[in-house]
Amino acid sequence: MDKVDLFRRDYTNDVDEVKNYEIVRKFFDMSEKGEYTLDSQTWDDLNMNKVYEKLNRTYSSPGEEVLYSMLRNPLIDEGELKKRDKIIESFKSNSNLRERLQGIFFDLKKNRLNSFLEMIENVLTVNKVKYYLYTFIGKIFPAIAILLGIFIDPKYLVLLLAVSGLNLLISLKEIKEMKSNGISYLREIIKAAKKIAKVKDNDIVKYTDRITAILKQIKVIDRGTTFVDVENMWGGFFESISGVLLLQECSYYAISGYINKDKKVLLELYYLIGELEALIAVGCYQYNLSGKYAKPKFIKEISLKIKDGVHPLIDNAVPNSIFIKNTGIVLTGTNTSGKSTFLRMLGVNILLAQTFYFTLAKSYEACFFNIVSSISPNDDLINGKSFYMAEADSILRIITALEKDTPVFCPIDEMFRGTNPIERISISAEILTYLIKAKTISIVATHDRELTEILKKSYEFYYFSEDIDSSNGLKFDYKLKKGVSQTRNAIRLLEYMNYPKVITDSAFKRAKSIEGFI
């Protein structure tokens, strides 16, 4: 299969690739965070690693890492989002441009150990003495020994053998210090950048102009990394004598100071290359949606209106619609009925709208949001936190986010499940009352019906429902309904799962004896 056939095959299919997220997120971890960067809990709450994998069709390290970083950094600027969208549409309509760039990214490949970013993250040793010394014993002295051996006495060639042995020892010792694999990938990045700069297309001229300017700025680094190309000549023949001539060592100490000085511009080059490939990947994903997506409409008033929204990780997902304005939502229903998935569907669509200007819905209209969720807080046993404390920290993130100008979208699943019912309901009611008075769209899923009575004047109520019978078991329609769930199917579910009858019968009796059981 040639490259173009590969690109066209991948363009219309999901790419099944196991990801090492310590590597994928490296660029994001190193980069400066924005005011509304998605924090790790919200990212995990929304299952964004899996969503990222759905979008990802990249061939290079800059592509996959910048795509991840873009998803972690939603924008609050419609103009910038429209610029991204214009480039995505260009890649979808212009297969020649797309495939030419994909060929460059494919040749760049992935730096599996992230040695380039590891090199950039650290301060490289600058030692001009070593540069001059290694230049002399790696290039000048061997040349002198060869000339003496040819024109004066062959015995002088013994000096060549001696210095070759010394140089190999030096090369072995310098491997860790040099981070040579990082320099090798830097060379590949520069070569890819040169190819991209030669692409003449008005839709990506902003990128090609900036890349060209950066290449001029790093000319010394460009020249200093050419030894990588020399090593790879003739099937890698010169790699075997690289250690003897100290090629890598001389090049490293010649440019290490320049790399230290130009780290920011090298990371910018990395980002520009990666953003182009990330936008191609998003275009590929959109293409495979067969038109089942919509461009967002951003408005100033604090509201969220989604028509027939679906979750990207669910095949044949049941669409749901919601319109929230000047209020919050309390969501009820039994476990597995669809509440958590609905929360995540809303969060993911808001994020896609504010990163790549599309949503998995028939229509989307909302203001810009700062997305901060509390769906799956966990015990932090390493830091000695209980589940309750983990929940308290999680909710505090949302309260703290209210200090910023942008309205907060805060989906919350089962507030304070780690404490007793009386305190849980009291705390939840007060926090939700506090949130609704701020610039928020708050939506909380709960089993506590008592909250519906307390919050009836300030919140609206929706629910998901299901049926359980002895022959069919659980039956869900996954459709959002207005009102409060009236079903209590938890014990019936245990009955269906063949729990001992003595347990389920006694549970029914005990439940009926508790005040408020329906």
Side-chain angles (χ1 to χ4, degrees):
M1 180 184 295
D2 66 21
K3 287 182 187 178
V4 173
D5 288 338
L6 174 68
F7 302 153
R8 291 174 181 174
R9 184 202 67 184
D10 290 347
Y11 190 75
T12 56
N13 292 282
D14 288 345
V15 178
D16 186 16
E17 184 179 4
V18 177
K19 292 293 177 187
N20 180 341
Y21 280 94
E22 286 188 16
I23 291 176
V24 168
R25 61 176 289 163
K26 182 67 175 178
F27 179 81
F28 168 77
D29 290 339
M30 289 174 59
S31 302
E32 185 178 345
K33 305 302 180 286
E35 187 178 5
Y36 299 108
T37 295
L38 218 64
D39 66 28
S40 293
Q41 183 175 327
T42 302
W43 179 267
D44 292 339
D45 280 348
L46 300 181
N47 291 334
M48 283 305 300
N49 279 351
K50 292 296 183 184
V51 176
Y52 162 83
E53 289 169 16
K54 278 281 186 182
L55 293 174
N56 184 31
R57 286 168 173 80
T58 61
Y59 298 111
S60 74
S61 287
E64 71 173 7
E65 292 179 26
V66 171
L67 174 60
Y68 179 93
S69 183
M70 293 171 81
L71 283 167
R72 288 292 295 264
N73 288 288
L75 301 179
I76 313 294
D77 186 328
E78 187 172 7
E80 289 302 311
L81 287 167
K82 286 183 175 180
K83 288 177 185 177
R84 284 184 183 177
D85 180 61
K86 183 180 178 182
I87 297 169
I88 291 170
E89 292 297 333
S90 176
F91 287 146
K92 286 194 292 186
S93 62
N94 189 343
S95 60
N96 290 331
L97 173 62
R98 181 183 70 241
E99 289 167 3
R100 182 176 177 184
L101 290 173
Q102 284 179 303
I104 297 170
F105 303 135
F106 184 84
D107 291 339
L108 178 55
K109 299 183 176 63
K110 290 177 181 174
N111 189 206
R112 297 294 181 183
L113 298 177
N114 256 344
S115 54
F116 167 72
L117 291 180
E118 291 283 352
M119 179 181 72
I120 294 296
E121 191 174 29
N122 295 288
V123 177
L124 277 64
T125 301
V126 178
N127 193 323
K128 288 298 182 183
V129 172
K130 281 189 175 183
Y131 167 68
Y132 292 120
L133 175 62
Y134 292 164
T135 299
F136 178 75
I137 65 175
K139 298 182 180 69
I140 299 173
F141 190 86
I144 292 171
I146 291 171
L147 291 173
L148 290 174
I150 293 173
F151 295 108
I152 297 178
D153 190 332
K155 291 180 181 179
Y156 282 108
L157 293 176
V158 175
L159 294 175
L160 178 62
L161 292 175
V163 79
S164 295
L166 173 64
N167 289 350
L168 286 172
L169 289 174
I170 291 172
S171 183
L172 288 171
K173 185 180 177 181
E174 289 282 7
I175 284 176
K176 271 191 176 180
E177 183 61 53
M178 289 192 313
K179 303 173 175 63
S180 59
N181 289 331
I183 290 179
S184 297
Y185 200 68
L186 171 56
R187 182 64 196 165
E188 295 304 311
I189 291 169
I190 292 172
K191 287 163 63 177
K194 287 180 175 180
K195 293 175 185 176
I196 294 171
K198 292 178 181 177
V199 177
K200 304 301 179 187
D201 189 284
N202 288 333
D203 288 332
I204 62 168
V205 70
K206 181 188 80 170
Y207 293 89
T208 54
D209 284 353
R210 182 57 189 151
I211 287 171
T212 300
I214 291 174
L215 288 171
K216 290 178 181 177
Q217 189 174 339
I218 60 170
K219 275 186 177 181
V220 174
I221 296 174
D222 181 9
R223 289 195 298 267
T225 56
T226 52
F227 78 89
V228 176
D229 294 330
V230 173
E231 282 189 352
N232 292 332
M233 286 174 60
W234 300 348
F237 168 76
F238 280 105
E239 186 176 1
S240 59
I241 64 171
S242 173
V244 172
L245 301 178
L246 297 178
L247 291 178
Q248 291 190 28
E249 291 73 17
C250 291
S251 297
Y252 173 80
Y253 287 110
I255 65 173
S256 58
Y258 293 98
I259 292 176
N260 285 336
K261 179 174 69 71
D262 289 330
K263 281 183 179 181
K264 284 187 177 180
V265 76
L266 289 173
L267 284 175
E268 183 186 356
L269 182 63
Y270 194 86
Y271 181 85
L272 290 168
I273 293 171
E275 184 172 287
L276 280 171
E277 189 175 17
L279 296 176
I280 288 176
V282 173
C284 293
Y285 177 74
Q286 289 181 357
Y287 176 84
N288 286 281
L289 293 173
S290 302
K292 296 179 181 178
Y293 66 93
K295 302 291 174 69
K297 179 182 179 182
F298 292 106
I299 57 177
K300 290 185 177 180
E301 62 184 4
I302 301 173
S303 66
L304 173 64
K305 185 177 183 181
I306 294 181
K307 182 179 180 183
D308 291 344
V310 297
H311 196 291
L313 301 182
I314 299 177
D315 295 332
N316 302 313
V318 174
N320 275 294
S321 304
I322 193 74
F323 179 36
I324 311 173
K325 181 181 178 182
N326 299 324
T327 187
I329 297 293
V330 174
L331 196 59
T332 56
T334 55
N335 289 327
T336 71
S337 61
K339 301 191 303 297
S340 298
T341 300
F342 181 73
L343 296 181
R344 292 186 173 101
M345 181 273 287
L346 296 178
V348 170
N349 274 293
I350 291 171
L351 186 59
L352 292 175
Q354 293 181 204
T355 51
F356 296 115
Y357 204 68
F358 80 102
T359 62
L360 299 173
K362 282 190 177 178
S363 64
Y364 175 99
E365 182 179 293
C367 61
F368 282 101
F369 286 110
N370 179 15
I371 310 167
V372 189
S373 66
S374 180
I375 295 176
S376 302
N378 295 313
D379 289 29
D380 192 344
L381 298 178
I382 295 175
N383 292 322
K385 289 183 182 177
S386 66
F387 188 79
Y388 174 76
M389 287 301 294
E391 288 183 297
D393 280 347
S394 180
I395 298 296
L396 185 59
R397 294 163 41 254
I398 296 173
I399 293 172
T400 302
L402 302 178
E403 299 170 4
K404 298 180 180 180
D405 293 334
T406 298
V408 177
F409 174 73
C410 45
I412 305 170
D413 194 7
E414 296 298 338
M415 294 180 74
F416 297 107
R417 69 196 87 175
T419 192
N420 64 81
I422 293 175
E423 289 186 297
R424 179 177 67 243
I425 293 166
S426 300
I427 297 170
S428 297
E430 292 307 317
I431 289 174
L432 291 172
T433 300
Y434 183 87
L435 291 177
I436 200 66
K437 292 177 181 178
K439 294 190 295 184
T440 63
I441 292 291
S442 56
I443 174 166
V444 60
T446 183
H447 286 98
D448 294 320
R449 286 193 196 171
E450 294 84 351
L451 279 176
T452 61
E453 183 63 27
I454 296 170
L455 300 172
K456 63 183 180 182
K457 291 184 179 179
S458 53
Y459 278 74
E460 294 182 351
F461 302 96
Y462 290 84
Y463 71 97
F464 287 93
S465 61
E466 77 294 323
D467 291 319
I468 299 180
D469 60 53
S470 57
S471 57
N472 297 318
L474 284 168
K475 184 179 179 182
F476 299 102
D477 62 13
Y478 301 110
K479 293 298 293 184
L480 185 69
K481 306 170 184 69
K482 196 168 181 61
V484 178
S485 172
Q486 299 300 318
T487 60
R488 290 184 181 269
N489 284 329
I491 300 173
R492 288 179 188 155
L493 176 58
L494 299 184
E495 204 172 37
Y496 169 71
M497 293 172 66
N498 295 319
Y499 265 63
K501 191 171 176 57
V502 64
I503 293 177
T504 54
D505 286 350
S506 297
F508 273 122
K509 290 177 183 178
R510 187 178 298 277
K512 288 177 181 178
S513 70
I514 297 174
E515 184 180 7
F517 183 85
I518 298 175

